[in-house]
Structure formats: structure tokens, C-alpha cells
């Protein structure tokens, strides 16, 4: 893919096919050219995700019901001689460079370069754990998944990075393994103890479908969303820092709960089993409330999948409502902003269910809304939330289920 003819075609934002490139890719190509002085050879993308139900279940080997969203991280790349990788992002300042021969690859020392640790972590994991012979390359990143709002911009960045590094090295890999290496990069290198939900949704999303995800077997079973309803995501504008948040504490509480109950993961406990254990004093009441959410949520998520199969949007909405109420009262990972956004949504015409989505403590809600009411819902939800929280800037996204990560035509 070299030659001045093609390079000038790219500068003009025209694909080799003769169709114009979409504006985001065009901007990214221009950013690449400005940073490195040449045109990129390849492009990849990986979407963010929204979880319809099944929250804080992934690390308990349970069930989730995510879908990939129509917002993504894109990377354009070009191989370069030598053993270093350079990376730049439209959303962040500067160019970060690291050597593929450094063991370990050093993490950022400057705060404004920390975003590139997701990229370095992927390179290190692919090299050391997957045994891939990586090659030097230049990367430019752009994303329209909002950063830090629970729609998994980090997983989208990791999955896109792995696709980009593999493309440069001309190596293929299955989506499921890509997701696992992305998760490893985030766990072991960046230091966030996330489950597999985010990366697997991004790597293996199915166009037009939500997916029942079994986080023990990693099996994905797609099912289309009910006809006539839309998925509406509302960002509260309240940012959470997952690394510093109570996420790791909740996770430890679940692990301790499973241990007291004599199982490796809460997936293996029934509500009846939990109640018996509490009655016999095996588990303190506070720990039991955390476990109860996870165990009930696994049941709700499987029930929600049955609703998708049956096309029963109303019952699905009710399960979403119950999920939020448990996350608020028993798991205690909501906040005033999330609770208010949900309460405002539920009171609006056409809303079948609404809940927080993602790890909590801020970030987004997801609502199921009848299609004819969507436009009015978006306007009223934004106005209602603004009135309740004048200091916050909400954002609302209506999205269909997008395809999982892959290559993008240049
Ligand atoms: P979430 O995954 O919910 O969006 P995280 O805190 O897990 O929130 O990850 C957000 C981080 O991912 C950002 O702070 C940044 O470091 C990195 N990131 C995501 N998208 C991009 C991007 N387009 N360019 C640079 N860094 C990004
Ligand atoms: Mg994340």
C-alpha cells in the first residue's frame, strides 16, 4: 500500500474504492500524517459496549447481556524499520515511543502519557504471554467512546491496539483470545482489576444483537433486541476513576463471600444456599447483601435473555429496573447522579426500564424506550437531569448494536 498515487488519494480523503472516507477516519489519517510525515497503511476499529443487564457478575463467573455500540476507537498504522512503537492520539497530547525490546516496557512517568500504558500493556502481553513476534510500527488513535464514563473506552483501546499490533506483524488471532489478552493488559499492566465483559463485548460484538455472555466459559449467545424499542444511553457527566474506586473493594467482598460459602465463585451459589448460610451464621449480613445482588443478578440476566428470545420488551424493562434497585440498595455502587437519571427516565412516556450500566459510582445509565417516544425522551431526560444537577453536563446516545472489532477500509 505505498506509492505516491495512493498517498495523495488518502490525503484527499478518498478510499482506494473511490468512496470518500468518513470524516473521523479522514481526521485520523491527517493526524497520522502530521505526526509521522507519511500515510498509514492499515486501519482497525474496536467498539465500546453497553451492558443491558448483569452488572458486577463478570468477575463472579456469572452472566452479562452486553452489546457493542456505534462508538469506537480507531487506529491507523504503518510498519516502520527498527524495534520501536510510536503512538499518538487525537484525544491526547504528544507522541509516546517505546521499544519492543524493553523488558519490562516502562510505564509512563508523566501523567499526560498514562493513556499510552494501555497500548504498552497490550504490546507487553502479546510479546510475553502470547509469544508473538511484534514489529516496529507507528500508530495513531482516535475514539468517540467517552473516556471514563463506563462505555469501555479502555477496552476499545486495548482491543483496537491488539488488532493493530497483530496487523503490523501479519498475525491472526481469534476474538476471544484478543479479549483475554486485552483484559490481561488492563489487569497486569495498567492495574485495573476488571473482568472480561468489556473486552469480550468489544472483540466479539454481533451487529444488531445483544449477547448473553457466560463469563465462566466465555460462550456468547446472540439474540436481537425486541422490535420497536431503542437502547438509550445517558451519561451523567460524573466521572469515576476505576483504578481508585471502590470497585476493587466490591470484588474482594465477592471473593470473600464465595470463600465463606465454600465455592470458588458466586456463580455457584443459589439464593436458597445463601440464605441457609446466613441463617447458620456463616456470613455476616453486610457481606450477604453484596452476594445477594450478584446471585439474583445472574438469575435476572438469564431471564432477560429469555425475554429477548420471546420478544418481551416489557418484562426485559422490569428486570432492568430490578437490577438498578439491587445495585443501589444491596451492592451500593450507584450515586445521586445515577439514581436521579434513572428516576427521571422511568417517569417518562415510553420508558420500559432504566438502570445504571458499567461499574457504577458515576458514568452512564441505559434505558429501554419505545421507538416513537425516543426523541421526546431524549429531550425530556436531558432537561430533567440538567434541572436536578445544574453543575453536570449530561450526554445522551441512542445506539443500535454494532459489530465487534475488525479491520477498516482505508
Ligand atoms: P472507560 O473504559 O469506562 O471509558 P477507563 O477509566 O477504564 O474508563 O478508561 C479510560 C482511559 O482509556 C482514558 O483515561 C485513556 O487513558 C484511555 N483511552 C480511551 N480512549 C482513548 C483514546 N481515544 N485516546 C487515548 N486514550 C484513550
Ligand atoms: Mg474501562
Amino acid at each position: 500500500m505505498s506509492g505516491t498515487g495512493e498517498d495523495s488519494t488518502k490525503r484527499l480523503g478518498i478510499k482506494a474504492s473511490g468512496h470518500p472516507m468518513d470524516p473521523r477516519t479522514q481526521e485520523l489519517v491527517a493526524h497520522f500524517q502530521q505526526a509521522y510525515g507519511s500515510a498509514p497503511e492499515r486501519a482497525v476499529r474496536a467498539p465500546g459496549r453497553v451492558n443491558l443487564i448483569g452488572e458486577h457478575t463478570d468477575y463472579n463467573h456469572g452472566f452479562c447481556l452486553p452489546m457493542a455500540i456505534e462508538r469506537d476507537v480507531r487506529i491507523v498504522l504503518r510498519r516502520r524499520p527498527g524495534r520501536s512503537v510510536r503512538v499518538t492520539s487525537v484525544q491526547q497530547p504528544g507522541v509516546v515511543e517505546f521499544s519492543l525490546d524493553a523488558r519490562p516496557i516502562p510505564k509512563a512517568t508523566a501523567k499526560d502519557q498514562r493513556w499510552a500504558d494501555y497500548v504498552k500493556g497490550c504490546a507487553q502481553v502479546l510479546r510475553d504471554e502470547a509469544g508473538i513476534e511484534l514489529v516496529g510500527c507507528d500508530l495513531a488513535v482516535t475514539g468517540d467512546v467517552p473516556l471514563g464514563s463506563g462505555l469501555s473506552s479502555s477496552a476499545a483501546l486495548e482491543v483496537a491496539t491488539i488488532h493493530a499490533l497483530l496487523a503490523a506483524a501479519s498475525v491472526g488471532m481469534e476474538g476471544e483470545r484478543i479479549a483475554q489478552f486485552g483484559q490481561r493488559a488492563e489487569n497486569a499492566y495498567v492495574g485495573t482489576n476488571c473482568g472480561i465483559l468489556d473486552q469480550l463485548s468489544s472483540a466479539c460484538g454481533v451487529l444488531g444483537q445483544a449477547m448473553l455472555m457466560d463469563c465462566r466459559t466465555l460462550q456468547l449467545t446472540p439474540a436481537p433486541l425486541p422490535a420497536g424499542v431503542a437502547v438509550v444511553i445517558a451519561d451523567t457527566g460524573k466521572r469515576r476513576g476505576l483504578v481508585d474506586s471502590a470497585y476493587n473493594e466490591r470484588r474482594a467482598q465477592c471473593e470473600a463471600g464465595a470463600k465463606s460459602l465454600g465455592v470458588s465463585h458466586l456463580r455457584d451459589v443459589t439464593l436458597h444456599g445463601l440464605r441457609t448460610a446466613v441463617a447458620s451464621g456463616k456470613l455476616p449480613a453486610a457481606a450477604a447483601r453484596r452476594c445477594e445482588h450478584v446471585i439474583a443478578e445472574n438469575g435476572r440476566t438469564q431471564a432477560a435473555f429469555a425475554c429477548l428470545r420471546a420478544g418481551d420488551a416489557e418484562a426485559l424493562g422490569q428486570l432492568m429496573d430490578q437490577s438498578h434497585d439491587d445495585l443501589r440498595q444491596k451492592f451500593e455502587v450507584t450515586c445521586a447522579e445515577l439514581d436521579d437519571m434513572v428516576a427521571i427516565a422511568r417517569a417518562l412516556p415510553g420508558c420500559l426500564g432504566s438502570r445504571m450500566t458499567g461499574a457504577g459510582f458515576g458514568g452512564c445509565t441505559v434505558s429501554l424506550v419505545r421507538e416513537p417516544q425516543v426523541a421526546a425522551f431524549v429531550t425530556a431526560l436531558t432537561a430533567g437531569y440538567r434541572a436536578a444537577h445544574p453543575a453536570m453536563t449530561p450526554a445522551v446516545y441512542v445506539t443500535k448494536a454494532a459489530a465487534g472489532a475488525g479491520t477498516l477500509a482505508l
Side-chain angles (χ1 to χ4, degrees):
M1 270 231 226
S2 60
T4 48
E6 246 180 52
D7 280 2
S8 63
T9 304
K10 275 178 198 143
R11 266 199 302 277
L12 293 170
I14 311 267
K15 283 188 194 174
S17 60
H19 296 297
M21 232 183 255
D22 76 275
R24 277 182 60 224
T25 310
Q26 210 173 314
E27 183 195 23
L28 179 59
V29 167
H31 186 81
F32 185 100
Q33 279 169 327
Q34 212 196 357
Y36 307 122
S38 62
E41 297 170 323
R42 313 271 298 261
V44 297
R45 61 167 277 284
R49 63 99 189 91
V50 66
N51 193 22
L52 298 177
I53 192 165
E55 220 63 77
H56 287 274
T57 47
D58 62 346
Y59 53 82
N60 289 298
H61 277 195
F63 296 92
C64 314
L65 194 64
M67 61 184 223
I69 59 172
E70 293 169 310
R71 285 177 169 260
D72 59 25
V73 167
R74 296 180 187 182
I75 300 182
V76 290
L77 64 132
R78 186 183 188 95
R79 287 173 63 133
R80 67 194 297 259
R83 300 285 303 151
S84 70
V85 173
R86 292 190 292 183
V87 62
T88 179
S89 165
V90 173
Q91 285 75 39
Q92 303 284 344
V95 176
V96 175
E97 181 165 359
F98 60 94
S99 168
L100 290 169
D101 294 328
R103 291 176 189 274
I105 298 172
K107 286 208 215 180
T109 44
K111 203 174 168 196
D112 67 356
Q113 295 193 350
R114 250 183 235 159
W115 67 271
D117 283 356
Y118 293 92
V119 177
K120 293 178 183 174
C122 290
Q124 181 157 302
V125 163
L126 285 179
R127 182 191 67 190
D128 296 348
E129 298 186 25
I132 307 275
E133 289 281 342
L134 296 175
V135 301
C137 54
D138 286 331
L139 310 174
V141 178
T142 193
D144 64 358
V145 186
L147 308 189
S149 41
L151 299 177
S152 284
S153 69
S154 62
L157 178 56
E158 289 145 15
V159 171
T161 297
I162 294 176
H163 269 276
L165 295 174
L166 292 176
S170 304
V171 175
M173 191 183 278
E174 277 184 8
E176 187 183 305
R177 286 193 81 213
I178 291 177
Q180 286 173 309
F181 288 125
Q183 184 199 11
R184 276 293 294 160
E186 188 148 347
N187 291 169
Y189 192 91
V190 177
T192 307
N193 212 4
C194 62
I196 191 72
L197 162 68
D198 303 352
Q199 292 82 4
L200 195 56
S201 309
S202 178
C204 300
V206 183
L207 182 66
Q209 319 251 330
M211 303 167 288
L212 180 68
M213 182 180 289
D214 181 330
C215 298
R216 172 165 282 166
T217 63
L218 304 191
Q219 192 184 351
L220 292 172
T221 316
L225 289 156
V229 295
V231 171
V232 182
I233 298 165
D235 189 345
T236 59
K238 168 121 195 265
R239 290 288 173 266
R240 47 160 195 99
L242 202 57
V243 184
D244 319 307
S245 73
Y247 176 91
N248 289 339
E249 187 204 336
R250 292 295 181 285
R251 199 174 160 141
Q253 288 169 330
C254 289
E255 279 157 15
K259 204 168 166 209
S260 309
L261 295 162
V263 293
S264 68
H265 294 88
L266 289 178
R267 154 78 170 265
D268 301 311
V269 185
T270 60
L271 278 177
H272 176 74
L274 176 71
R275 282 175 193 143
T276 311
V278 173
S280 65
K282 262 196 204 164
L283 206 62
R289 279 190 304 138
R290 304 281 190 249
C291 298
E292 196 178 334
H293 159 72
V294 173
I295 297 164
E297 186 82 348
N298 277 332
R300 280 191 289 265
T301 305
Q302 289 168 284
F305 182 68
C307 293
L308 285 184
R309 284 248 158 111
D312 189 345
E314 270 148 44
L316 174 60
Q318 283 164 16
L319 289 163
M320 289 168 71
D321 284 350
Q322 289 165 20
S323 167
H324 183 85
D325 297 345
D326 258 10
L327 286 159
R328 180 168 64 84
Q329 291 163 341
K330 296 189 181 132
F331 215 67
E332 296 179 278
V333 290
T334 69
C335 57
E337 291 83 358
L338 285 169
D339 292 336
D340 290 346
M341 188 74 92
V342 160
I344 296 162
R346 284 181 187 172
L348 291 171
C351 181
L352 300 174
S354 188
R355 59 182 288 276
M356 60 153 266
T357 185
F361 314 109
C364 295
T365 66
V366 60
S367 305
L368 208 58
V369 184
R370 289 196 196 282
E371 251 158 14
Q373 268 97 35
V374 167
F377 176 88
V378 169
T379 308
L381 182 62
T382 308
Y385 182 77
R386 279 221 174 99
H389 293 275
M392 293 289 166
T393 310
V396 181
Y397 316 108
V398 182
T399 185
K400 295 207 175 356
T407 56
L408 207 59
L410 265 188

